[in-house]
Every structure is written in C-alpha cells, then in structure tokens.
Amino acid sequence: MTASLPADPPTARSLTGVVPQILASLQGRGEWFAPARSAIVVMVDGLGRSNLTARAGYARFLAGRMTKKDAARTVFPATTAAALTSLLTGESPGRHGLVGYRVRVPGTDLAPNQLKGWETDGLDPLTWQRCAPILERETAAGRPCFVVSSPRYAATGFTRALQRGAEFIGATTIAERMERSADLALRHPGALVYTYIPELDTIAHARGWESDEWSAALETVDVAARDLDTAMGAHAGAVVTADHGVVDVPRHRHLLLQDGDPLVDDVRIVGGEPRMLHLYAEEGRADDVLRRWHEAESGRSWVLSRDEAVAAGLFGEVVDAEVLPRIGDVLVAARSAVAYYDDRESDKRPQSMIGQHGSLTDQERVVPMVRLGSFA
C-alpha cells in the first residue's frame, strides 16, 4: 500500500502567494509583509529551509533572521520550472501548465525539458506557459519592474515565458546582483525587482548540497544578503526565498530502468525527473503500469495515477483541461533517498547528479521566506 500523501499544514504559506503578497505590501495592505516603498524578491535556487538550517554556520546572517514563520511551501513537483512559473504568475502548475521538468506535449511523443525546450523543441513562450506573468501585468499598469540575473538567461524562452515586460539587468556575480537590485529598488519608488541566484542549485547537482563547495557558495549568498539588507535600510523590503530544497542521492541509490524491466513495459515516455517521474503509458495500458509500479516501488515512493494526483490537489485546486494530458498517466514521487533513471538513454551524464529534488518530502518542498529591509 502506498504511504499516505503528506498534508500541508492549514496555515502553510505557499510560494505561489509570495509575489501577490509583496504587491499588496507596496499598496500598504499586505498580510505577510510590512508596507514597503519598493520590493525585491531574491530567488536562491535550491536553498531549502532544511538545507539552510543544517548549514546555518555558513549563513549566520540569514539563519539569524529566519524565524519559525519565515517558511513557505513550494509547488508540486518541487522543481524549478514549475516553481518559478508559479512564483511569477501567482498560479498553480495546474493552471500555468509547467507541471514538471520533462513534460509530454499532448498528442506527440515529445517530452521537452521545460527550462530549455523553448529553444530545442519549439515551445512557444506566449502559449505553452498559459498564464499572464505578474511582471508583464505590473509593467503595463505603470510599475517599474526589473529582473536581475545572469546575462546568459537574458534571451531564453523560459525568461520570456515568465519575465516578459520587465527590464532585464545582467549581472555576473551574486554580489553584483544584490548590489544592482538594491540600487534599482532605491532609485525607483514602487519598483518590483526579481533577483535570481542559480549558483547553489548548480553546485548541488554536481557536488551535492553537503559538499564544501555548496557551503562556500552559501557563505557568499549570506554576505551578499547582509549587504543588501544594509543598503536598503528602511527604504525597501526584500524576501529571500527558494524554489525547492535538495536531497543528496548517492549513486548506489540510483534505480536504473533497462530493457526487459517490467517497470518499463507499456511505458511510452519516461518524463519528469529522477525523483518525480511522469510515466506516459501506451494507449489503454495505464492501469497495468500503475499496478506494476505500485507493487514494486510503493515501499519507497508515492505511486499515483493522474486522477489520484489531481483529486489530491497536488497540482493545485484546479487543473485546466488543456493541462491535464501534460501530466503523466502514472506519477512516481520518491519518498526515500532514491532516484530513478531511464538507463536506455544514450546520454548518461544526468546520472552523475548528486543533489536532487522534485518530490513531496519536506526537505524538497519547504523553503525559507526570510524578510529583509523594511519587511523585517
């Protein structure tokens, strides 16, 4: 029997609500944050609350500012494409449509990477992501909106899908991004600034979040956050948050799906990511795929049908009809420290990843929501 799904506490705050609440604070009516003249959202990719707490010695400033209520729950799947889209649209994956890392294009055998498939697989940033970006709406209403990020993201389809309307400011280092963000917030009353820091997630995938390299990068983030707080003073507010946390999965905990394995019988496409699979079955074979995976893997993973996942509200209260077929017929969300790989793929490089995420565990879903400047 599959273990019960973890339930969000009734008072849990969702990552989806962060930007709408910040906008409310700019109008003096926020429930989560104090009033502010301008605001900054600092998105530290991969900085789960439990990761931050466990390495608090490398982040004395942020850990010292983080109270018990300074937490939010990211969306499901706990992956960058879904979470950042929810953050910057204020909508759940069931509405915006980015329901995983690799997701099937209905009616095809394509399952593009939702971060890079805009360029490689022809995803249309204006239609595949189905909800109006908050930055676009606010810019149209007259609010100064800025994105401060690595220059390499300036012209990507993912950026256009989520961040169109805002002025993009390229800054190479973490310190530069924080400095530019503070300057923009202070010079433009009423501004909304989105600042993206991908370095921790990149290191976690390559080296693990328990590595010395990850701890050193966290120290860099912490120093930059302290400097941001000092620069803003009472003139602007900032929230430091994340899209997901990270679980380190050693190679001996990888489960490799190979030819002849009953788990890939009747599976047409293996999508999702190693800790949260979307399995797309051959026509009429979804029940058989669900049964085999449930019998084999329910001891260490949550194994659900699409209908069960939707009924449980995993993709939000509403899943639009256009989004429904993007979700796998069977979902496999790792509960223990395991990761699933399709070993039939010729590219084995993904199997070198250590840091993983995507599933329903608290380590992956609970993220910090640390308030700085006038929000503190």
Side-chain angles (χ1 to χ4, degrees), residues 109-150:
D109 283 341
L110 295 174
N113 179 319
Q114 302 292 282
L115 296 175
K116 302 175 182 177
W118 316 89
E119 289 77 29
T120 59
D121 294 288
L123 296 181
D124 186 345
L126 301 182
T127 59
W128 181 254
Q129 195 288 96
R130 304 176 63 255
C131 296
I134 291 173
L135 294 170
E136 182 181 46
R137 298 200 312 258
E138 290 299 309
T139 298
R143 184 182 304 283
C145 292
F146 303 92
V147 171
V148 182
S149 186
S150 170

Side-chain angles (χ1 to χ4, degrees), residues 2 25 61-62 91 101 103 113 122 148 167 215 218 225 230 244 271 281 296-297 314 328 343 349-350 352 362:
T2 298
S25 78
F61 173 75
L62 287 173
E91 299 284 357
Y101 179 66
V103 171
N113 179 319
V148 182
E167 181 179 348
S215 296
L218 178 60
T230 300
H244 56 76
E297 295 301 315
L314 293 186
D343 199 42
R349 288 175 298 177
S352 66
D362 281 354

Side-chain angles (χ1 to χ4, degrees), residues 82-114:
L84 294 192
T85 308
S86 288
L87 176 76
L88 293 175
T89 63
E91 299 284 357
S92 66
R95 296 298 312 282
H96 61 63
L98 273 66
V99 292
Y101 179 66
R102 290 183 62 240
V103 171
R104 187 179 195 175
V105 177
T108 78
D109 283 341
L110 295 174
N113 179 319
Q114 302 292 282

Side-chain angles (χ1 to χ4, degrees), residues 84 88 135 139 144-172 177 180-181 184 187 192-198:
L84 294 192
L88 293 175
L135 294 170
T139 298
C145 292
F146 303 92
V147 171
V148 182
S149 186
S150 170
R152 70 179 181 271
Y153 300 125
T156 69
F158 189 66
T159 293
R160 190 178 179 204
L162 310 188
Q163 301 163 22
R164 60 181 181 266
E167 181 179 348
F168 189 97
I169 309 294
T172 303
R177 280 174 234 143
R180 294 297 299 274
S181 298
L184 290 165
R187 286 196 295 111
L192 176 61
V193 183
Y194 171 72
T195 309
Y196 181 58
I197 298 175

